[in-house]
Amino acid sequence: MTEQTKNTLGFQAGEHQHPKTSMKDGAGIHETSLMAPAPAYAEEKTDGVAIRVSTSEGEEPTEEEIHTLRHVADKLPKSAFLVALIELCERFAYYGLSGPFQNYIQNDYKDPSGIPGAIGLGQSGATGLNQFFSFWCYVTPILGAIVADQYLGRYNTILYFSIVYVIGLIILFCTSLPVAIEHGAALGGLIAAMIVIGLGTGGIKANVSPLIAEQYRGTKQTIRVEKNGERVIVDPAVTIQRIYMIFYLCINIGSLSPIATTNLEKNVGFWSAYLLPMLIFFVGLVVTVTGKRFYIVRPPTGSIIPNAFRAMWIGLMSRGVMDAAKPSYQQEYGHRYKTPWNDLFIDEIKRALVACRVFVFFPVYWYASSSLGSIFSDYHEFNISRHEFFQISVLGVLQQADIENTAGTMELHGIPNDLMQNIDPIAIIIFIPILDRFVYPYLRTIGIAFRPITRITMGFVFASLGMAYAAIVQHLIYTAPPCYTAPLACPASNETEPNRIHVAVQTPAYLFIGLSEIFASITGLEYAFTKAPSSMKSFVMSMFLLTNAFGSALGIALSPTAKDPKLQWMYVGLCVATAISAVCFWLLFSRYNAVEEEMNSLEDLGEKPIPATAVKADGTTKRTPE
């Protein structure tokens, strides 16, 4: 490998320098250790022979113990579960209010057909506003991250943006009342609510993800003796992994809320469908306020974002050598640039750039993983009856075209609708405890280090398998009578008879996607937190969330391919695209597995967390009495 290649902008595996020791990763790139831990064992001499004594409980393990003892998660702090509850309430509100949007926007108020509606913009108008809202909600985290990292801190930002969120919910609720709809306030109220709620969710999303992991304060591996006498290693990395498993579990529990809100929409009214999310969000707001004394936070550090971009500019102007932005480098080679930071800050920036490069492939993944369930999200999203909806294949993508542009049709055979439309979150809720409590511990027991880059790669592989299975199911739909490649569009069906294939045949596709989310999405959150500088965790997290917006944009661009009889080949294309992404991802980033612990060790050198009560409402830190 040439010197020019090794000095590309950002953190390269061979770029992390320390004067004490070195090592090599699996790719043969020269590595330099960040910290050389002192041996955590003692030696006693008996008759002149040195005998190694095992590390005591609570001390750091030796290199030998790291490779031979079982790694386990630490006990999670109560404050982490409080943050998880806040996320559950926010996601319940977000998914609950989003569920009725399509019907609310598309259909007329008191339509003679009996289908719920309010604004009457038609399907294309409804789909356009929905796509805007989804895209907006994944762009606004950047604003929330800047406010948190630079001005107010994570807790204050979550609190203030929660108030913004509540204002949006109140606007949506009030303008969805029958009297408001009758006076023409629904459309203006909806657009205002979408903008305000999008701002609120952006401020929360960028900060709640790092906040939950910050509640755990361990940064070093330690020895612990179990009740059965087994000596194990309490590993902070394993603990953070478990925290994000619980976090994602709460997200998917919250995502089941449309089951309630869509039924309220149909049987009571839109105002009730929006009232429930508002009440649940108030629960999360109460937990946010009352739990303040339990939370641990890192205070904002001023102009951290401008400094980061200035440091990257210096690295870019120095032929991609990020070390040129270090004060020590400038002192040695001439003060060409002002560097109002320390060397550690540049090391942290290089580590953050690793995460940002890893995120580049995620838009392809998001588009593939979301392509399965979007048509089966809610039957009320279409101008069709409940019975007609379940004749439509779930293996399709919501388009701005007519209903004939969805995938094929299947027979339900009495399977409950609430089960079928929520297979993906239910699968995730089931698989997370199995993987966290059984599969991952077993892999660690037999010596398999299932590191983040490997897990993300497996997520891409499972997504590819899901797309492959979806293509097979779509082929079965197209070869089944009565309409074959034109489901519900042939005279033999009378627009009511589905193609004769059981709807449950699609279930494995959702199981593959559920597993892929656990491997890729959860690990992506984990990677965004562990690789970000302590002062920029919200900003790096917002970069990861932004990949969702790019995935949505990719889906919009490719939407013309999602129509009969092309759906089978759309899934084949997604299968190939995600498989190629998995191979490229592994070839480019697998070397970072070898320096995972070294990169994580920077966490111990960064800004130390403090109680949330020590940060004022304006983001400044309270002075402690001397």
Side-chain angles (χ1 to χ4, degrees):
M1 179 176 292
T2 65
E3 190 66 26
Q4 184 178 2
T5 304
K6 288 195 289 184
N7 287 334
T8 53
L9 180 61
F11 183 103
Q12 290 293 343
E15 197 175 325
H16 217 78
Q17 296 184 359
H18 190 282
K20 292 184 179 180
T21 186
S22 64
M23 59 178 289
K24 288 189 177 181
D25 73 353
I29 302 174
H30 189 69
E31 294 301 332
T32 311
S33 176
L34 295 169
M35 303 174 66
Y41 58 85
E43 286 189 351
E44 294 181 357
K45 289 189 175 181
T46 304
D47 297 330
V49 179
I51 301 176
R52 180 175 296 183
V53 180
S54 298
T55 308
S56 301
E57 185 170 12
E59 294 183 352
E60 291 185 58
T62 64
E63 195 68 29
E64 180 183 352
E65 288 170 328
I66 289 174
H67 292 93
T68 56
L69 298 184
R70 188 163 60 93
H71 290 234
V72 299
D74 204 351
K75 183 179 180 181
L76 303 186
K78 294 180 181 179
S79 56
F81 292 99
L82 291 178
V83 178
L85 180 59
I86 294 171
E87 175 68 0
L88 191 155
C89 293
E90 191 279 329
R91 291 290 87 185
F92 185 100
Y94 175 82
Y95 287 110
L97 64 89
S98 300
F101 270 173
Q102 187 83 10
N103 241 11
Y104 186 72
I105 303 167
Q106 176 177 329
N107 304 317
D108 292 319
Y109 184 59
K110 293 184 178 179
D111 190 280
S113 67
I115 300 174
I119 299 175
L121 291 184
Q123 188 175 15
S124 61
T127 303
L129 278 176
N130 266 308
Q131 289 172 340
F132 158 75
F133 181 62
S134 177
F135 188 85
W136 174 241
C137 288
Y138 281 108
V139 172
T140 53
I142 297 175
L143 174 63
I146 293 174
V147 171
D149 285 340
Q150 193 159 330
Y151 300 107
L152 297 177
R154 271 179 275 285
Y155 174 81
N156 286 336
T157 302
I158 290 174
L159 179 61
Y160 297 152
F161 276 81
S162 294
I163 295 172
V164 172
Y165 203 125
V166 168
I167 293 172
L169 290 170
I170 292 174
I171 293 172
L172 182 62
F173 167 70
C174 291
T175 56
S176 66
L177 291 168
V179 63
I181 296 174
E182 290 171 357
H183 285 80
L187 179 58
L190 175 71
I191 294 174
M194 281 182 165
I195 294 172
V196 176
I197 290 172
L199 282 172
T201 194
I204 295 171
K205 284 172 70 68
N207 293 291
V208 72
S209 300
L211 181 65
I212 189 172
E214 278 183 340
Q215 303 313 299
Y216 177 67
R217 283 168 279 181
T219 57
K220 296 181 179 179
Q221 296 178 349
T222 57
I223 295 292
R224 185 176 75 195
V225 180
E226 302 286 62
K227 292 181 179 180
N228 61 1
E230 181 190 7
R231 299 173 70 252
V232 297
I233 295 175
V234 177
D235 194 333
V238 176
T239 308
I240 296 298
Q241 178 181 316
R242 172 163 293 176
I243 286 174
Y244 278 114
M245 295 284 265
I246 294 172
F247 182 77
Y248 208 73
L249 180 72
C250 291
I251 289 175
N252 281 273
I253 292 173
S255 72
L256 297 175
S257 59
I259 296 176
T261 58
T262 55
N263 278 285
L264 285 171
E265 166 206 335
K266 181 182 178 182
N267 299 313
V268 181
F270 286 105
W271 64 269
S272 63
Y274 297 138
L275 176 62
L276 179 61
M278 184 171 66
L279 295 176
I280 296 298
F281 189 84
F282 269 115
V283 173
L285 184 57
V286 169
V287 173
T288 303
V289 174
T290 57
K292 181 177 181 179
R293 67 183 185 276
F294 300 110
Y295 303 135
I296 298 296
V297 299
R298 284 184 169 90
T301 53
S303 56
I304 186 69
I305 306 298
N307 282 346
F309 279 101
R310 177 172 173 78
M312 287 187 285
W313 175 256
I314 293 173
L316 186 63
M317 292 296 98
S318 302
R319 298 181 180 179
V321 181
M322 277 299 296
D323 282 345
K326 290 184 175 181
S328 60
Y329 185 99
Q330 290 296 314
Q331 184 176 0
E332 182 176 354
Y333 296 101
H335 293 276
R336 182 181 176 186
Y337 299 100
K338 293 182 179 180
T339 53
W341 48 72
N342 56 23
D343 286 2
L344 175 63
F345 178 70
I346 303 304
D347 286 333
E348 290 182 323
I349 294 296
K350 292 192 291 185
R351 183 179 63 165
L353 287 171
V354 169
C356 291
R357 283 201 295 271
V358 165
F359 300 156
V360 167
F361 285 90
F362 269 86
V364 176
Y365 170 79
W366 293 130
Y367 176 52
S369 64
S370 65
S371 68
L372 278 184
S374 55
I375 200 71
F376 207 92
S377 54
D378 296 292
Y379 67 88
H380 62 279
E381 290 187 0
F382 304 94
N383 190 18
I384 53 177
S385 68
R386 184 187 188 99
H387 172 71
E388 289 172 327
F389 171 77
F390 289 106
Q391 294 173 341
I392 298 169
S393 167
V394 303
L395 295 174
V397 181
L398 180 61
Q399 302 302 318
Q400 298 182 22
D402 295 332
I403 197 65
E404 286 81 8
N405 290 339
T406 61
T409 59
M410 300 183 186
E411 297 176 321
L412 278 178
H413 294 283
I415 295 179
N417 62 295
D418 287 341
L419 174 63
M420 290 308 304
Q421 67 185 10
N422 289 285
I423 290 177
D424 182 50
I426 291 172
I428 291 172
I429 292 169
I430 293 173
F431 282 138
I432 281 179
I434 294 174
L435 288 169
D436 180 54
R437 296 292 179 175
F438 300 103
V439 177
Y440 287 168
Y442 175 73
L443 292 176
R444 291 192 292 268
T445 299
I446 62 177
I448 297 177
F450 205 30
R451 299 193 184 277
I453 297 300
T454 308
R455 276 181 270 143
I456 294 174
T457 304
M458 288 300 300
F460 278 75
V461 170
F462 274 102
S464 180
L465 291 174
M467 294 300 100
Y469 188 84
I472 294 171
V473 173
Q474 198 63 53
H475 174 74
L476 294 177
I477 294 172
Y478 285 161
T479 55
C483 291
Y484 301 98
T485 59
L488 289 178
C490 67
S493 73
N494 294 320
E495 298 185 355
T496 59
E497 184 180 352
N499 284 11
R500 297 187 184 101
I501 178 172
H502 200 297
V503 72
V505 74
Q506 69 199 321
T507 302
Y510 287 95
L511 300 182
F512 282 132
I513 292 298
L515 283 170
S516 80
E517 285 190 49
I518 295 173
F519 290 132
S521 183
I522 296 179
T523 309
L525 292 170
E526 176 189 335
Y527 211 75
F529 175 81
T530 58
K531 301 305 171 289
S534 58
S535 53
M536 290 182 62
K537 290 192 180 295
S538 293
F539 187 76
V540 174
M541 187 65 70
S542 72
M543 292 294 101
F544 176 66
L545 296 173
L546 186 62
T547 62
N548 280 272
F550 290 131
S552 297
L554 185 62
I556 295 171
L558 297 177
S559 61
T561 65
K563 58 180 69 175
D564 293 322
K566 302 176 183 178
L567 278 168
Q568 176 183 347
W569 299 110
M570 183 197 76
Y571 290 121
V572 171
L574 285 173
C575 171
V576 173
T578 49
I580 293 174
S581 296
V583 173
C584 294
F585 184 88
W586 178 256
L587 293 176
L588 289 172
F589 303 126
S590 60
R591 66 183 185 274
Y592 292 133
N593 277 337
V595 291
E596 174 70 15
E597 293 180 2
E598 293 188 37
M599 288 191 288
N600 290 347
S601 67
L602 280 176
E603 192 72 16
D604 194 44
L605 305 176
E607 190 78 21
K608 300 302 179 185
I610 61 175
T613 52
V615 180
K616 298 180 182 179
D618 61 358
T620 58
T621 306
K622 297 178 181 178
R623 292 185 178 180
T624 55
E626 296 182 359

